[in-house]
Amino acid sequence: RNKWCSIGWNIHSSIGQQYLYHTLHTLTSPNTVRKLDSCIDFFIENEELRIQVQKILLALSHKSAYSYHYITTKHNYFNSKKLKTALLLNLLTLITFVLSFISYTFVLLMIPIFSINLYLHFRNKYAQYNLLDATNNFKLVHKAYSEIEKLNELRNLIEKETTVDEKNKIKKLYFLTHFFSAENIVKDDITTLVFFPLELLKILFNIEVITLELFAKLSVSIKDILKKNFEIIAKVDITIAIADLQVENTLCKPTFIKNKEIHISEIIHPLITNCIHNDLNLTNKSLLLTGSNMAGKTTFIRTFTINAILAQTLGFVFAKKYEAPFSKINTSIRITDNLEDNTSYYLKEVKRLKEFIQQAETNSPYILVLDEILKGTNTIERIASSYAILKYLNDTNSIVLVFTYDLELIDLLEKENYQCQFLQENIVNNQLHFDYKLQLGKIKTTNAITILELQKFPKLITDLAHTTKKSFS
């Protein structure tokens, strides 16, 4: 199991997975990045408690957690008119029932009332089924939160303890959910016969209609409590996952600086087992990365980008040192054409670069990552346009990391505060060997034609390729 996947595997609940996804897609501020530190340190030091809480969270692994938000955000299902109508019909049912002892004719009045109740009952089931997953998960969340709240050692994770009044309201909500889940009991013909009288009673007194509306009304009044409990469980889960990760791996906390600088030591890609680490040091410069095919250029670009996101969201990095500005990140790594939009590859590239320019012009700190800039057009215009665009971007407050095969850009951009680095291979016994280590300066050799030779292309082709290459030189 690789290191990055262990974050996902060690998150035991669907709630924690949602929180992780949200966190990785949300940049806040350097201060909020450190908000989980004390909790992470606590779980690192308390392994037994960490395991105990993980067992509690396992009960929340069902996908129904994804519908939990329904009871805190989708309050349009509350219908006060339906509740009043159901209560009025119940009153009429009781009156006609009492009057039926005086005269049997009143029994006949119960038939139209029952018919209306029957209509409301089955009409209500449609709304009820939309809530079933949410209410069932609410019960699991309530149970898990209650167990976590009982652990005195976790008091520091709970920002605000639930008051007695709030606890009573949650208990009422919990009680109401049992009326919705009762349908799950009916699974065969025998149990259907057993529960048939209960179903008639529900219809006669609009039990499901009333309890659903009461549930909706009550959940509105305590939605902030429900959200808080949900978020606390999510934070506990992700905190434990990060604690596990720190126990098993070498991670560092990022340092955020205001200067246009990046200083990184021994950074690795979390998806690669036994990954070769690299250093990167930029001072008032951007990075122009060149190199041979398969030498690891795109992997390094992704390595930096993933760790930059982790640094600014979860507050840790797969490295020994990480210093960089707290910046928004935009990438142009995987561009494709779009037949539906009638957009060519080159036009898609141009539109993405226009975004980069507009963002850089705001003078906010940005990290802009480009893989093979403008490769969708001819060589001469690609080099000219790439030079102009990259110079423009680097003259702003942005830091650019760009990979290119166009070696002509090296001499042009070295004069424009770009630090040129490369990745290269060695050929040993007619085989390519890569060390995946970043080196300063200009690449000394290229390997495109060599790879053709190693793949046993006809000598006529490779000799002609070498001759043609020399003519261009």
Side-chain angles (χ1 to χ4, degrees):
R1 185 178 65 182
N2 59 55
K3 298 171 183 177
W4 174 244
C5 285
S6 68
I7 297 178
W9 284 111
N10 286 343
I11 290 182
H12 292 76
S13 70
S14 299
I15 296 174
Q17 292 171 8
Q18 292 176 75
Y19 186 77
L20 175 63
Y21 181 88
H22 169 76
T23 303
L24 290 174
H25 287 75
T26 306
L27 288 183
T28 50
S29 70
N31 294 329
T32 57
V33 167
R34 303 263 61 90
K35 63 185 176 182
L36 296 178
D37 278 0
S38 59
C39 303
I40 294 169
D41 294 339
F42 172 80
F43 279 120
I44 289 174
E45 296 167 3
N46 295 273
E47 184 179 1
E48 289 185 8
L49 187 63
R50 190 167 78 232
I51 295 171
Q52 184 180 350
V53 176
Q54 285 173 338
K55 291 178 180 177
I56 295 173
L57 295 173
L58 280 173
L60 301 174
S61 60
H62 195 270
K63 64 180 181 181
S64 62
Y66 295 114
S67 60
Y68 181 89
H69 72 94
Y70 194 85
I71 62 175
T72 59
T73 59
K74 304 291 184 181
H75 297 305
N76 55 319
Y77 59 81
F78 172 59
N79 190 328
S80 60
K81 290 183 179 179
K82 187 195 290 187
L83 178 60
K84 291 176 182 177
T85 301
L87 292 172
L88 178 61
L89 288 168
N90 281 3
L91 181 61
L92 291 174
T93 299
L94 289 172
I95 292 173
T96 52
F97 178 75
V98 172
L99 293 176
S100 65
F101 289 100
I102 300 173
S103 172
Y104 289 115
T105 55
F106 287 104
V107 176
L108 298 175
L109 288 176
M110 295 184 68
I111 297 174
I113 296 173
F114 183 81
S115 299
I116 297 172
N117 288 351
L118 188 67
Y119 170 78
L120 285 177
H121 178 80
F122 286 102
R123 179 76 179 271
N124 178 71
K125 280 189 179 293
Y126 176 77
Q128 175 184 319
Y129 290 149
N130 285 341
L131 271 175
L132 264 178
D133 278 348
T135 54
N136 284 339
N137 193 259
F138 160 74
K139 288 189 285 187
L140 296 174
V141 171
H142 170 66
K143 183 179 178 182
Y145 181 80
S146 298
E147 291 181 21
I148 289 173
E149 195 176 33
K150 290 176 185 176
L151 300 172
N152 293 326
E153 298 91 338
L154 300 185
R155 294 290 180 183
N156 61 324
L157 295 179
I158 300 174
E159 299 168 0
K160 173 182 172 295
E161 288 194 38
T162 311
T163 64
V164 175
D165 181 56
E166 290 171 342
K167 286 181 179 179
N168 289 335
K169 287 181 178 179
I170 292 176
K171 286 180 181 178
K172 289 178 184 177
L173 202 63
Y174 179 76
F175 171 75
L176 291 171
T177 59
H178 290 81
F179 292 95
F180 308 135
S181 59
E183 298 295 329
N184 297 334
I185 301 172
V186 182
K187 295 181 178 179
D188 53 49
D189 293 339
I190 296 175
T191 51
T192 300
L193 289 173
V194 172
F195 284 94
F196 181 69
L198 179 61
E199 189 71 12
L200 286 177
L201 189 65
K202 287 182 179 181
I203 296 170
L204 189 63
F205 291 103
N206 292 301
I207 292 175
E208 288 189 0
V209 176
I210 292 170
T211 52
L212 176 66
E213 297 306 326
L214 290 176
F215 179 92
K217 185 177 181 180
L218 184 56
S219 65
V220 171
S221 67
I222 60 171
K223 66 177 182 179
D224 291 337
I225 307 169
L226 299 176
K227 286 181 180 178
K228 184 206 74 171
N229 294 358
F230 187 89
E231 289 172 359
I232 286 174
I233 290 174
K235 289 177 182 178
V236 168
D237 201 358
I238 197 171
T239 298
I240 290 175
I242 296 174
D244 282 341
L245 202 63
Q246 290 198 15
V247 168
E248 298 171 1
N249 304 278
T250 300
L251 306 178
C252 77
K253 295 177 182 178
T255 300
F256 298 113
I257 55 180
K258 294 184 178 180
N259 302 331
K260 186 177 175 177
E261 298 179 16
I262 294 176
H263 302 289
I264 301 173
S265 257
E266 298 189 17
I267 192 170
I268 62 171
H269 195 300
L271 280 176
I272 299 175
T273 304
N274 300 322
C275 182
I276 302 298
H277 58 74
N278 271 294
D279 301 341
L280 179 64
N281 290 286
L282 303 173
T283 303
N284 294 320
K285 290 187 176 183
S286 290
L287 174 68
L288 177 67
L289 180 61
T290 58
S292 305
N293 295 284
M294 304 183 296
K297 300 175 295 298
T298 301
T299 299
F300 177 77
I301 290 287
R302 293 172 187 266
T303 297
F304 172 81
T305 307
I306 288 172
N307 279 284
I309 292 171
L310 289 175
Q312 299 182 163
T313 54
L314 298 181
F316 68 88
V317 184
F318 286 86
K320 283 195 173 180
K321 174 185 175 183
Y322 180 97
E323 292 181 359
F326 193 89
S327 311
K328 295 179 181 178
I329 302 169
N330 202 351
T331 65
S332 177
I333 294 178
R334 187 176 291 177
I335 301 292
T336 58
D337 56 4
N338 193 317
L339 293 176
E340 292 182 358
D341 294 342
N342 195 28
T343 306
S344 69
Y345 182 94
Y346 178 70
L347 184 57
K348 290 278 284 189
E349 281 188 297
V350 168
K351 288 186 175 181
R352 178 58 63 87
L353 289 169
K354 182 66 181 296
E355 287 179 21
F356 283 17
I357 291 168
Q358 291 171 339
Q359 291 165 350
E361 287 174 341
T362 64
N363 211 34
S364 298
Y366 267 91
I367 293 175
L368 305 173
V369 182
L370 300 96
D371 191 1
E372 295 190 64
I373 181 172
L374 293 178
K375 66 178 181 180
T377 190
N378 66 83
T379 304
I380 294 175
E381 290 187 300
R382 178 173 66 250
I383 294 169
S385 300
S386 297
Y387 166 67
I389 292 168
L390 293 173
K391 178 184 184 305
Y392 186 89
L393 291 174
N394 194 42
D395 287 340
T396 67
N397 201 28
S398 299
I399 299 176
V400 183
L401 284 79
V402 57
F403 152 59
T404 180
Y405 282 112
D406 294 320
L407 304 184
E408 296 84 352
L409 284 172
I410 296 175
D411 292 333
L412 292 170
L413 290 173
E414 271 188 325
K415 303 171 185 176
E416 305 297 343
N417 284 329
Y418 271 84
Q419 179 170 293
C420 296
Q421 296 193 232
F422 66 93
L423 290 153
Q424 197 165 22
E425 82 295 336
N426 294 310
I427 299 177
V428 180
N429 297 326
N430 288 325
Q431 288 187 336
L432 293 172
H433 291 270
F434 301 96
D435 60 12
Y436 305 110
K437 295 293 290 185
L438 275 179
Q439 300 180 57
L440 277 170
K442 304 176 183 180
I443 187 169
K444 300 172 180 62
T445 61
T446 56
N447 68 3
I449 300 175
T450 303
I451 291 174
L452 297 182
E453 292 173 330
L454 294 176
Q455 293 299 314
K456 307 300 183 183
F457 271 58
K459 194 171 187 300
L460 187 63
I461 293 176
T462 55
D463 285 349
L464 181 58
H466 279 299
T467 302
T468 307
K469 176 184 175 182
K470 289 178 182 177
S471 69
F472 283 125
S473 300

